[in-house]
Amino acid sequence: MTTDTLKQAELTQVRNLEEKYGKSIAEWKTILQKSKLARHGEMVSLLKDKHAMTHGYANMLVHLVNQSHAGAIDDQDVLITDQYKAKETLKPWYDQIIEKINSFGNDVELSPKKAYVSVRRKKQFAIIQPSTKTRLDVGINLKDTAPAGNLEASGSWNAMCTHRIKIEQEKDVNQEVFDWLHKAYDQAG
């Protein structure tokens, strides 16, 4: 996707949020500032609990208000570089996974955030997050799929994913991970 296409998609999402929930981004920003909440998750919960906002819109809105969304930084490579500061040993695993995901088709979109990279097709099907200095988490969206093998239920780890795979050693970046990711890619199309 081109940068112009991504910017247009973001504008469409913002317009849809404003239409669905009846307030401008500026009004939502005021609500969040008055709440005096500082943590991302707390703000998302406020929007969901007090304003009946879906998780996707609440998460996007908090990123916009905090300027932590991918569009807030022109150079998305900076976001990825910052994610792997003091976690450099995980970066080659990330690179291997991204290389494989990009081979699935030319419609893969990477959208780096501050803490993770969202992987999209028509919708998000995965995220890749260096969660600790020694573990890379791969979040995957798979409907109607029971946990099996290295695929576990995401639980409270990330509400934007149904499953998670923990990568703790180089050997964990394997065909099973790629197969789960490809299945999620197929479902997202």
Side-chain angles (χ1 to χ4, degrees):
M1 271 189 167
T2 66
T3 303
D4 289 340
T5 304
L6 289 173
K7 286 180 183 174
Q8 187 58 45
E10 185 177 277
L11 290 173
T12 299
Q13 290 175 325
V14 168
R15 187 171 43 253
N16 289 344
L17 179 143
E18 290 176 341
E19 287 175 12
K20 183 169 183 157
Y21 295 102
K23 289 180 177 50
S24 70
I25 298 299
E27 291 171 306
W28 287 114
K29 183 175 183 175
T30 300
I31 289 169
L32 289 171
Q33 287 172 335
K34 285 183 179 178
S35 75
K36 300 203 189 292
L37 296 173
R39 297 179 52 106
H40 181 92
E42 293 172 333
M43 289 185 268
V44 169
S45 292
L46 171 84
L47 293 169
K48 290 167 61 176
D49 297 343
K50 301 263 189 214
H51 300 282
M53 196 174 281
T54 64
H55 182 84
Y57 278 123
N59 185 56
M60 178 189 72
L61 178 59
V62 173
H63 277 302
L64 285 171
V65 167
N66 289 338
Q67 290 293 295
S68 59
H69 62 293
I73 297 176
D74 289 335
D75 188 358
Q76 293 187 356
D77 290 338
V78 171
L79 287 168
I80 295 169
T81 299
D82 286 350
Q83 288 175 18
Y84 290 91
K85 282 186 181 161
K87 300 174 184 178
E88 289 83 4
T89 58
L90 304 178
K91 182 68 165 61
W93 304 346
Y94 166 84
D95 292 337
Q96 289 175 13
I97 293 167
I98 291 301
E99 181 179 352
K100 187 65 171 183
I101 289 172
N102 282 328
S103 75
F104 295 164
N106 62 1
D107 58 348
V108 172
E109 170 193 333
L110 302 177
S111 181
K113 314 294 185 202
K114 276 192 174 180
Y116 62 91
V117 173
S118 172
V119 186
R120 300 179 52 84
R121 190 174 186 192
K122 290 183 180 176
K123 61 182 181 176
Q124 179 175 281
F125 66 90
I127 68 168
I128 303 170
Q129 175 177 314
S131 297
T132 72
K133 289 183 178 184
T134 60
R135 189 181 79 235
L136 186 70
D137 285 322
V138 179
I140 299 178
N141 285 320
L142 284 170
K143 290 183 180 176
D144 304 319
T145 302
N150 62 359
L151 186 73
E152 63 183 46
S154 66
S156 63
W157 172 70
N158 188 305
M160 298 291 284
C161 300
T162 59
H163 298 81
R164 167 174 64 169
I165 298 173
K166 295 177 182 176
I167 309 289
E168 298 177 295
Q169 302 174 51
E170 186 174 358
K171 69 179 181 138
D172 295 337
V173 182
N174 57 37
Q175 192 59 47
E176 185 179 3
V177 173
F178 301 144
D179 290 345
W180 287 121
L181 284 164
H182 202 283
K183 185 174 180 180
Y185 167 84
D186 288 341
Q187 281 187 10

